[in-house]
Amino acid sequence: MVHYEVTIFTGNRAFATTINNVYIKLVGTDGESCRTWAEGPLSFIKGAASSFTVSCPVSIGKLILIELDKKCLPLLPEDAWFPAKVDVKSPEGDTYTFPIYRWITDSEVHYFREGKALRVFEDNSQLGRYSRQQELTQREEDYCWDVCMEGMPHCIKAKDPCSLPPEVRFSFTKNIQFAFTAITGVIELKLDGLADCKKKWTDMYHLNKVFWHRTQISEYVHEHWKDDAFFGYQFLNGVNPMLIRRCTALPSNFPLDDDMVFTPGVSNLKDEMEKGNIFLVDYSLLDGVETNTVNGKKQYLMAPLVLLHKTPQDQLKPVAIQLKQTPGDDNPIFFPTDSEYDWLMAKIFVRSADFNIHELSVHLLHAHLLAEVFAVSLLRNVPMVHPLYKLLIPHTRYTLQINILARLLLIAENGVFTHYAASGGEGMFTILRRSMSSITYSSLCLPDDIAERGLQDVPNFYYRDDGLQHWDIIHKFVQGVLSYYYKNDSDVQQDSELQKWISDIFEHGFLSKASTGIPQQFATVTELVKFVTMVIFTCSARHAAVNSGQYDYGGWMPNTPITLQLPPPTSKGKTHEATILETLPDVNATVHGMGTVWLLSKQSTDFVPLGDYPEEHFTEKIPRKLIKEFQGRLKVLKTHIEVRNESLEVPYTYLNPTEVENSVAL
């Protein structure tokens, strides 16, 4: 007889324990063991390792896979079990590791491959190829594409998080699932007594009273929201740094003369443009969008044009605002020299427009919905033994669940965004479709995006600075891992599973539109590395940049109104503080908006930072070494950001690697 020393590790997470009997079979190149009971009641409790021996008459050769199943005891219910991995030491002295990291909820036999990553064309074992194909066949049944909205990326077919496949269903923290409602955020902010109040704000004093929960940044916002320099700063380092671009020629629908913007003899618009000091933010995506009705009142959402100037002090300040796209006598251009309240009202309309386009285009579409496309395609087309699966699966954690909940609780018919945002209802779908029609591959790749917008040398642009560092660090990591498995372009071209992954993304994520520039297939290692870098960056750093600061910048409602109740002024000199109060959202819309941004930017209790891989999918020495190097570079970046922030009046923390989550998880 020969003996195999087997250790089964149960995951260290809530509800991972099983009291069912667990059985294992070892399968090798020269045979297989008997199905063996993994001895001991209560051996498979959360975080435990259970060791036992599997004996065979002769060696079964190199291990290819294991078969795991569990059976409930008489009179006891079948439960869910989360095995992490299985280690097997062979009689020849070799140690094999079988990564699992998934839930087993039934009594069926489940197959798990040995940890060495294998591409499809090098999987030479007949049994290995069979189990690989069986896994993908099952996944195609479990993870189906669905069309939730015409003209938008396709999504997972599931009516709620509990209808997801068992392997991911229970991995979602129940506390997050039950807490993911706007009213929860309202309650946590102790504003539930105002949730049904449909009155207007009568003075700033009462608005100040509800803004009792303050972060360091939100307190700064509260004190400086009226300042022009801070207004400009937010286009670079607020939650929406994605719209601003250098302006080299004024749009034809923004009729400005030199003497409108600059004092004659001091400077002029043409010279400042040539120096690269003029910037434009254009909200044309919002033009003509049908607006919501809140508390029985029609709401207003403008499509402004904002011109900004980089001052000699390296501040970015607004110099002109036009609130509608079509120039006319009833569409005045506002300037800092106008009355205090005329100028403030113009900026408030811009900030409300920014809130709506940020939440729908920048946050929901570009981060959440695309991350879901990447995840579904991975789960459908790439088996667990594939190197791409091992590399990307940590960056899909919770994404399917959180997006289902967003569709059910935020943007559905009864969702908080639908009820209270200016663009809620039909306008929401118009904005999403317009944004989808203009999406490009280059806009998703940060170095290309920054270059296209002409922002390479803008001072004090910390999203760019930290984001490019993240991009480079992720790129080095991805290049190291993928180059280890793909030695040449031919390896990439003949990997049918890899090609199916990108093909599905092109078809279901970007609706087969070649104009997006999204690859339809991979021809080179370089193309593959860039795309996978973009995927990880999108699911981690990009999402953190547009998500984590939502309460910081939106908790003080006048800085980021969810909606506005009066039309924009058609002439100057008629706006006062009372006009602004009448224009701001009602009390209930305010507190629901505050509750939502509070909830969305709140770090979860089981947050996993970028580069932290508690689940060890890679077992080979080189990929594990590359992970350590990846983590080391992120630590260096963390220190750099923290040192820089010490000298900043407004610290930029959202891309500190310790604050960046591995996946779109909230």
Side-chain angles (χ1 to χ4, degrees), residues 129-187:
R129 289 196 300 271
Y130 174 77
S131 68
R132 189 182 197 114
Q133 188 54 53
Q134 288 297 105
E135 178 187 350
L136 290 180
T137 299
Q138 185 62 52
R139 285 181 178 278
E140 286 183 357
E141 294 178 7
D142 291 343
Y143 299 95
C144 295
W145 292 108
D146 197 9
V147 179
C148 291
M149 190 191 317
E150 289 296 333
M152 293 300 296
H154 300 168
C155 60
I156 185 73
K157 187 172 185 177
K159 62 181 181 180
D160 56 52
C162 292
S163 64
L164 285 168
E167 66 174 292
V168 295
R169 182 193 313 158
F170 295 103
S171 63
F172 193 48
T173 304
K174 289 180 170 61
N175 289 340
I176 295 178
Q177 179 175 336
F178 295 136
F180 198 83
T181 62
I183 195 62
T184 301
V186 170
I187 292 169

Side-chain angles (χ1 to χ4, degrees), residues 494-507:
Q494 65 178 315
D495 190 336
S496 58
E497 292 166 345
L498 187 67
Q499 299 296 348
K500 187 65 170 68
W501 177 65
I502 187 60
S503 174
D504 249 20
I505 289 171
F506 177 72
E507 178 184 351

Side-chain angles (χ1 to χ4, degrees), residues 210-226:
V210 303
F211 181 57
W212 68 270
H213 184 89
R214 305 185 183 191
T215 65
Q216 178 187 359
I217 303 296
S218 69
E219 177 62 36
Y220 187 93
V221 171
H222 176 253
E223 294 174 0
H224 296 274
W225 70 283
K226 296 179 182 179

